[in-house]
Amino acid sequence: MISPADGHTPLTALVVQGITMDFVGLRALENVNLTLRQGEILGLIGPNGSGKTTMINVITGLLRPTAGRIQADGADITGKPPHKIAQTGVARTFQKVKLFRELTVFENVKVAAVSVGMPNRRAKEQAWVALEELGIEAWSGRIAGTLPYGHERKVEVARALAMNPKFILLDEPAAGMDEEESAALLQILTPIPEKKNLGMLIVDHDMNLIMRLCNRLHVLNYGKTIGEGTPEEVRRIPEVVEAYLGS
Amino acid sequence: MKDKPASTATRSHIITLLILLLPLIIIAAVTKLIGNVLFERVVITLFINLILVLGLQAFMGNSGILSFAHIGFMGIGAYASVLFSMAPQMKKLALPDLPLWLGHLQLPFLPSILIGAIIAALIAAVVSFPLMRLSDASAVITSFALLVVIHTILVHWKTVTNGPQTLFGVDRYTHLETSMCWAFIFIALAYWFKESSIGLQLRASRDEREAASTIGVNIILVRWQGFILSAFMAGLGGGLWAHFITSFSPKAFWLKETFVILSMLVIGGPNSVSGAVVGALLVTGAFEGLRGLENQINIAQILPVQLIGLTEIVLSLTMIVILIKRPLGIMGGREFR
Ligand SMILES: Nc1ncnc2c1ncn2[C@@H]1O[C@H](COP(=O)(O)OP(=O)(O)O)[C@@H](O)[C@H]1O
Ligand SMILES: [Mg+2]
C-alpha cells in the first residue's frame, strides 16, 4: 500500500507502478512508473508508437496489463472493468474520436454524467456546465455524427468533464486542429485542473503547446521511461533530446 | 438559460408522442365507421404487431443488437396468459393434464396477460444474462438459438401447451379499443425507455462500445435490462394476440411472425419509436394491399399460373433495398417532431 505519509505519492493521485504491457511479439510498455496528482497537468510525450495511447488504455481498463499495478485515490483499479474504473473518477478522450454518433451533442455529454451515477436532473446540469466550459453549448441539439472534425474533439473533452472526474486523460486532444484552434483549446484546458482539483494527463505532439501547458512531463520511448520532470528539466535530458526533441 | 432547453425538450417529446398517436386514433375511428369485421381484424392485428415491433425496438433499436428471440417471448406470453385466463371447464377439455391448482385457477383478463408478460420477462432475465456480453454475429446466432429452444419447448411441453396441436377454447378479450389502448401505452413505454437513463446508456453503447464503457456504462447490465423489458413487451403482445385469435399452435411463434416483425422494424428504422410505428403501418398497408392484388390477379387469371407468395417476396425485396439504400430505415433513427 501507498501511505499518504511517505510524501512522494499522495493519496489523491493516480499512481501507476511498474506497468508492463505485452502484445503478441511486442512489448508496448516496460516497467513504467507514473504519478498524476490532482490539480496538476502532466504531459505524456514520446515519438509515435512509444506507448502513450497504450498507457491510457491500460489505465482506463481497456487493456489488462501484463504486470504492474494502478491505484486511483488509493483504490486498486488494476484489472477492473472500464466502467468501474470510470466510476472511481478516471475519465479519458480518444486519439481516434469515439463520439456516440446517433446521439445529440447534449446527450453525448449527459450520458457520461448519468453513467457515473448522477441523478437525471444533476446530470443535465453537469452536462450543461461542461458544454459551457468548452464553449459549445450552441451545438447541444446537433447530432454528433454531423459535426465537423475539429468540433468532435471538444465534445469528447466535454463528455469526459461531465463525469466530474478526479483524473482526466486526454489523448491528443488537439490533433487535426490548426494552430489557432489548438491555441484556443489550450486556453480552455489550462485553468481546469486547478479549478476542479483534477489531475490532467495530456498527450500531444506539439512541443510548444506541451511545454507551455504542463507542470511536469513524462517521456516515453519504445515503451520505456526515458525522462521525467519539469519541462526545463526534461529539455536537458540527453536521451530525450536525442529521441524526440532533437528530431 | 439552463431551464429553457429542458422544457423545450419536454415539449418536443409530447409533440412526438401526439404525432405517433394520431394515426392510430384515425385508423381506429375509420374502422369503427366502416364496421367491417374483416377490416377490423386486420386493424387489430396491426395494433398487436405494432406492440411487438415496439417491444423489439426497445431492445434492438437502443442496443443495436439484432434479436431473433423476440417472437419466442411472444409465445411464452401467449401460452402463459391463457393458463390463467381460461375457464376451468375449458381447461379440462383443452389441457386435461394440467396440475390441479392450475386447472382450477381462473383470473380475469388483465392479470392473466400481465402474469404472462412477467413470466416471459423472468425467463428472459434468467436465460439472457450470459448472452449479453456477445455482440454482432455471435449475438444474432445465439438469439436465434434461443428462439429454437423456446419453440421446441412449446412444441413438446404438451401438459401446458397441448403440444404441436392447436390450443383451442381461449376467450376473446382483445378488441379494437383494447388493442388500440395497449398500442398507445406501448408507444409511450418504448419512448420513455429510449429517453430514460438506461435507454440513453444503451444507445451510447450501441454507437461506441469502448467509449461507453470508459464513461462508466455497464454495458452488460443495461443490455440485460433492455432485453427484459423487451421480453415483457413481447409477452404482453403475445397475451393480447392469444385472446384475439382464440386458438393457436406453436407454429404461430416461429419464423414467419419473426420475419414480419423484424421487417417492420428494419423498414421503419429500428433506432426510433417513430420508425417502429411507421414500419408497422407501412408494412401492414403494403402487405394487405399486395395480398388483395395477388387475389385479384389470381381471380382474373391474368397470368397463366397461380401467383403465390407475391406479398412475401415484395416485402423481402423491399427490406433488402432499404437495408442497402437506407441502413437506418425510413426514419433514419429520427423521431417526428
Ligand atoms: N491492440 C494492440 N495490439 C498489438 N499491438 C498494439 C496494440 N495497440 C498498440 N500496439 C502497438 O504498441 C505500440 C505502441 O502504440 P501506441 O500506444 O498506440 O503508441 P503512441 O500512442 O505512443 O503513438 C505500437 O507499436 C503499436 O503498434
Ligand atoms: Mg497514440
Side-chain angles (χ1 to χ4, degrees):
Chain A
M1 269 306 287
I2 294 163
S3 73
D6 71 7
H8 300 296
T9 50
L11 206 51
T12 54
L14 181 72
V15 181
V16 171
Q17 288 176 309
I19 286 290
T20 295
M21 181 73 226
D22 287 337
F23 294 120
V24 187
L26 174 85
R27 176 154 287 189
L29 291 171
E30 186 169 334
N31 195 24
V32 177
N33 297 298
L34 178 156
T35 302
L36 173 64
R37 300 186 186 93
Q38 277 180 288
E40 76 166 347
I41 305 182
L42 174 68
L44 180 62
I45 60 174
N48 255 333
S50 58
K52 307 180 295 292
T53 298
T54 302
M55 189 73 230
I56 292 179
N57 286 342
V58 168
I59 294 172
T60 53
L62 291 181
L63 293 171
R64 181 184 281 267
T66 313
R69 284 203 314 163
I70 304 155
Q71 289 178 310
D73 252 5
D76 193 333
I77 57 168
T78 324
K80 289 241 170 82
H83 69 271
K84 287 261 171 62
I85 294 174
Q87 285 162 5
T88 63
V90 182
R92 71 169 294 174
T93 66
F94 291 87
Q95 180 176 355
K96 185 179 172 300
V97 176
K98 291 180 193 282
L99 290 183
F100 308 125
R101 302 187 60 78
E102 295 295 321
L103 308 193
T104 64
V105 168
F106 185 74
E107 286 176 319
N108 262 274
V109 179
K110 182 189 153 191
V111 67
V114 166
S115 305
V116 293
M118 287 181 217
N120 195 41
R121 171 173 272 230
R122 240 200 90 210
K124 274 186 190 165
E125 281 168 17
Q126 189 78 19
W128 216 238
V129 170
L131 287 173
E132 281 171 351
E133 198 110 40
L134 272 291
I136 56 175
E137 61 280 26
W139 314 338
S140 65
R142 291 243 332 230
I143 300 295
T146 68
L147 286 176
Y149 181 77
H151 292 20
E152 294 182 313
R153 294 198 172 272
K154 284 192 177 174
V155 179
E156 277 227 344
V157 177
R159 179 172 74 186
L161 281 176
M163 294 160 66
N164 202 9
K166 295 179 196 138
F167 307 101
I168 186 168
L169 319 173
L170 306 176
D171 200 349
E172 308 202 13
M177 293 185 180
D178 62 32
E179 222 157 283
E180 206 174 309
E181 287 170 322
S182 71
L185 183 64
L186 171 99
Q187 284 261 309
I188 293 167
L189 294 179
T190 316
I192 288 176
E194 225 174 289
K195 200 165 99 192
K196 300 197 178 276
N197 191 31
L198 58 76
M200 181 183 281
L201 181 144
I202 182 161
V203 173
D204 204 279
H205 281 297
D206 183 344
M207 269 304 117
N208 272 329
L209 185 146
I210 282 288
M211 291 284 176
R212 272 185 296 152
L213 184 64
C214 298
N215 310 100
R216 287 190 308 125
L217 295 179
H218 189 114
V219 195
L220 290 177
N221 197 19
Y222 296 110
K224 285 188 217 154
T225 302
I226 56 167
E228 51 183 325
T230 63
E232 287 69 38
E233 288 165 356
V234 166
R235 229 196 277 267
R236 286 194 294 269
I237 300 172
E239 275 168 297
V240 176
V241 176
E242 189 186 325
Y244 196 45
L245 297 176
S247 66
Chain B
M1 170 78 195
K2 265 173 204 169
D3 263 26
K4 229 167 111 201
S7 65
T8 47
T10 314
R11 197 174 327 131
S12 88
H13 294 330
I14 291 171
I15 291 172
T16 302
L17 284 178
L18 289 179
I19 294 174
L20 293 178
L21 299 185
L22 198 63
L24 305 197
I25 296 177
I26 294 172
I27 290 170
V30 168
T31 309
K32 275 274 160 204
L33 278 177
I34 295 176
N36 175 314
V37 179
L38 280 181
F39 189 73
E40 188 178 294
R41 286 188 78 81
V42 170
V43 171
I44 295 175
T45 309
L46 160 67
F47 287 160
I48 295 174
N49 279 343
L50 173 58
I51 286 166
L52 290 162
V53 177
L54 289 163
L56 186 59
Q57 194 278 333
F59 178 69
M60 189 177 137
N62 294 314
S63 74
I65 300 170
L66 182 65
S67 172
F68 276 112
H70 199 61
I71 297 305
F73 293 106
M74 176 197 180
I76 293 173
Y79 279 105
S81 63
V82 166
L83 286 181
F84 293 94
S85 73
M86 195 183 268
Q89 312 88 285
M90 204 38 151
K91 282 183 186 167
K92 278 208 196 93
L93 289 175
L95 296 167
D97 300 330
L98 276 186
L100 271 184
W101 68 272
L102 200 54
H104 287 141
L105 189 71
Q106 188 184 13
L107 296 179
F109 171 60
L110 190 63
S112 297
I113 61 163
L114 283 175
I115 292 174
I118 289 169
I119 290 174
L122 286 177
I123 292 173
V126 173
V127 300
S128 71
F129 195 73
L131 308 184
M132 293 297 117
R133 43 184 81 249
L134 306 176
S135 299
D136 309 322
S138 46
V140 177
I141 297 292
T142 47
S143 75
F144 187 68
L146 194 53
L147 177 67
V148 174
V149 170
I150 293 173
H151 184 73
T152 310
I153 292 174
L154 292 182
V155 168
H156 289 100
W157 200 1
K158 215 167 168 356
T159 318
V160 295
T161 66
N162 200 25
Q165 276 93 39
T166 301
L167 176 64
F168 55 89
V170 183
D171 285 324
R172 171 98 189 258
Y173 285 108
T174 309
H175 299 282
L176 184 65
E177 293 82 359
T178 337
S179 58
M180 187 190 75
C181 288
W182 280 106
F184 282 180
I185 294 172
F186 272 55
I187 288 176
L189 182 61
Y191 196 83
W192 164 82
F193 180 68
K194 182 187 159 211
E195 295 296 324
S196 74
S197 63
I198 298 171
L200 180 61
Q201 293 181 66
L202 204 46
R203 286 184 286 140
S205 77
R206 170 196 69 200
D207 288 358
E208 274 291 349
R209 219 177 307 157
E210 274 194 348
S213 68
T214 58
I215 60 164
V217 177
N218 185 342
I219 296 179
I220 295 175
L221 180 67
V222 291
R223 279 182 181 172
W224 188 55
Q225 290 164 326
F227 196 81
I228 293 171
L229 176 72
S230 172
F232 177 86
M233 294 169 84
L236 218 139
L240 288 170
W241 184 80
H243 293 84
F244 161 64
I245 212 82
T246 68
S247 61
F248 55 88
S249 73
K251 272 208 307 280
F253 314 108
W254 193 224
L255 297 180
K256 188 159 181 246
E257 183 70 358
T258 298
F259 182 71
V260 169
I261 299 301
L262 257 179
S263 63
M264 286 175 172
L265 188 57
V266 168
I267 287 171
N271 290 4
S272 70
V273 178
S274 303
V277 175
V278 166
L281 292 178
L282 278 185
V283 171
T284 303
F287 205 88
E288 295 304 324
L290 283 168
R291 207 154 61 180
L293 182 69
E294 197 176 315
N295 283 341
Q296 292 301 316
I297 292 175
N298 286 340
I299 290 166
Q301 295 186 316
I302 294 171
L303 298 177
V305 290
Q306 282 277 303
L307 198 58
I308 301 167
L310 173 73
T311 317
E312 282 77 6
I313 291 172
V314 171
L315 198 59
S316 309
L317 290 178
T318 312
M319 190 154 108
I320 292 169
V321 170
I322 294 233
L323 277 175
I324 294 168
K325 292 280 178 199
R326 265 186 93 87
L328 288 180
I330 291 170
M331 290 304 293
R334 305 290 174 264
E335 303 287 2
F336 289 115
R337 313 246 107 115

